[in-house]
Amino acid sequence: MSLPPPGPDAAVLVTGASSGIGAAVARVLAGRGHPTVLVARRGDALTELAGELRAVSGQASEVHAADLGTDAGLTLTRDLLDDDRVVGLVNAAGFGVTGRVADLAGDAERRAALDGLVRLNVLALHDLTVAAVGALTRRVREDRPGAILNVSSISAFQPLPGAASYAASKAFVQSFSEAVHAELAGTGITLTALSPGLTRTGFAEAAGTDAFDRVPDLVVGEAADVAEAGVAAMARGDRSVTPGLVNQLSVAGGRLAPRTLLLPALKRGMEAFGA
């Protein structure tokens, strides 16, 4: 196992913990007995979650309101990783933006959102992963293993017209995470990429799409189920996990289908979702 057994000295830092998959992962970790260090922009939501987790696990959760899209937020979070109690990191912070790049480019507000997407989904995740690898490597010399879980997406496995920047950001997460997992082989530290499909969170509303209203319930996952799969894979030290058979088939199609056939189909599908 890569994630150490639960205990007061086996805390896991979770970014994006105020809602969605991040909050669900924090609940799963607490259910396993891990203290959590919760990081997100909304301190009030984190405080509420911390109270819920304490009732479940009996373990206190630290709460740190920080915007990972800023240098100050990243610096604060990197410093938290230096705490010797922290044995794991979950990079769940992220958001999406939908729309054609040509349309977004002419709207100052939405163009700024695109820039923020890349800063959070790519640069912040990269920064914190590198910091965590450094901190955990120092501790593994004391026979303390460690684990990292990066939240990717099935969008990582093919270009996605109508959400080009989001899919590209997740392609970075997937590629980077799998490569670092291989680099860490034999060290006692692992990095797992969690690649969910459509999941019931606040993501769709924030991304500006009503996609969840237009697809069968069969293809929409629950955040709790995604979190369970992610934490289990993190604990095992798996390289990658994609919860759900439909999502696994989608990933296979994205990898194998010729781009000349796939991209027009994806473009039509995203346009049907209003992206």
Side-chain angles (χ1 to χ4, degrees):
M1 291 182 67
S2 181
L3 188 64
D9 294 325
V12 180
L13 191 155
V14 183
T15 72
S18 59
S19 63
I21 291 174
V25 167
R27 292 186 181 101
V28 173
L29 289 165
R32 288 176 172 237
H34 285 282
T36 52
V37 181
L38 308 175
V39 177
R41 289 185 302 168
R42 294 188 293 136
D44 55 343
L46 293 180
T47 300
E48 182 178 346
L49 177 61
E52 176 189 335
L53 300 186
R54 188 179 190 107
V56 169
S57 68
Q59 302 278 1
S61 296
E62 289 186 24
V63 169
H64 298 274
D67 183 351
L68 298 182
T70 67
D71 291 341
L74 273 179
T75 298
L76 182 151
T77 309
R78 280 197 305 268
D79 290 345
L80 294 173
L81 291 169
D82 285 331
D83 187 328
D84 285 343
R85 296 178 306 119
V86 175
V87 297
L89 167 68
V90 178
N91 276 312
F95 70 95
V97 176
T98 58
R100 295 172 64 247
V101 169
D103 297 330
L104 298 173
D107 183 320
E109 183 176 349
R110 299 187 77 189
R111 170 65 185 272
L114 274 186
D115 293 342
L117 179 155
V118 174
R119 184 174 176 86
L120 181 60
N121 293 14
V122 176
L123 297 179
L125 178 139
H126 181 273
D127 192 326
L128 294 180
T129 300
V130 172
V133 168
L136 295 174
T137 297
R138 291 192 295 273
R139 277 167 228 151
V140 82
R141 298 188 186 117
E142 303 170 6
D143 296 324
R144 298 191 73 203
I148 302 168
L149 180 70
N150 284 344
V151 178
S152 179
S153 166
I154 62 171
S155 301
F157 298 96
Q158 69 280 306
L160 193 57
S165 296
Y166 174 74
S169 75
K170 292 304 183 179
F172 172 85
V173 173
Q174 192 74 31
S175 177
F176 173 67
S177 299
E178 293 197 37
V180 176
H181 176 92
E183 292 178 355
L184 293 170
T187 67
I189 304 166
T190 57
L191 199 167
T192 302
L194 168 62
S195 307
L198 284 174
T199 306
R200 295 187 199 282
T201 65
F203 177 88
E205 292 82 359
T209 176
D210 59 354
F212 287 22
D213 299 330
R214 304 184 182 212
V215 297
D217 288 345
L218 176 66
V219 302
V220 181
E222 300 295 335
D225 296 333
V226 170
E228 287 281 1
V231 173
M234 180 188 189
R236 291 191 302 266
D238 293 349
R239 172 178 50 83
S240 182
V241 59
T242 302
L245 178 60
V246 171
N247 293 328
Q248 291 163 9
L249 293 173
S250 176
V251 167
R255 282 174 162 160
L256 300 175
R259 290 289 193 260
T260 52
L261 298 177
L262 182 66
L263 284 170
L266 289 171
K267 182 173 181 286
R268 289 193 297 272
M270 291 298 289
E271 288 172 346
F273 288 146

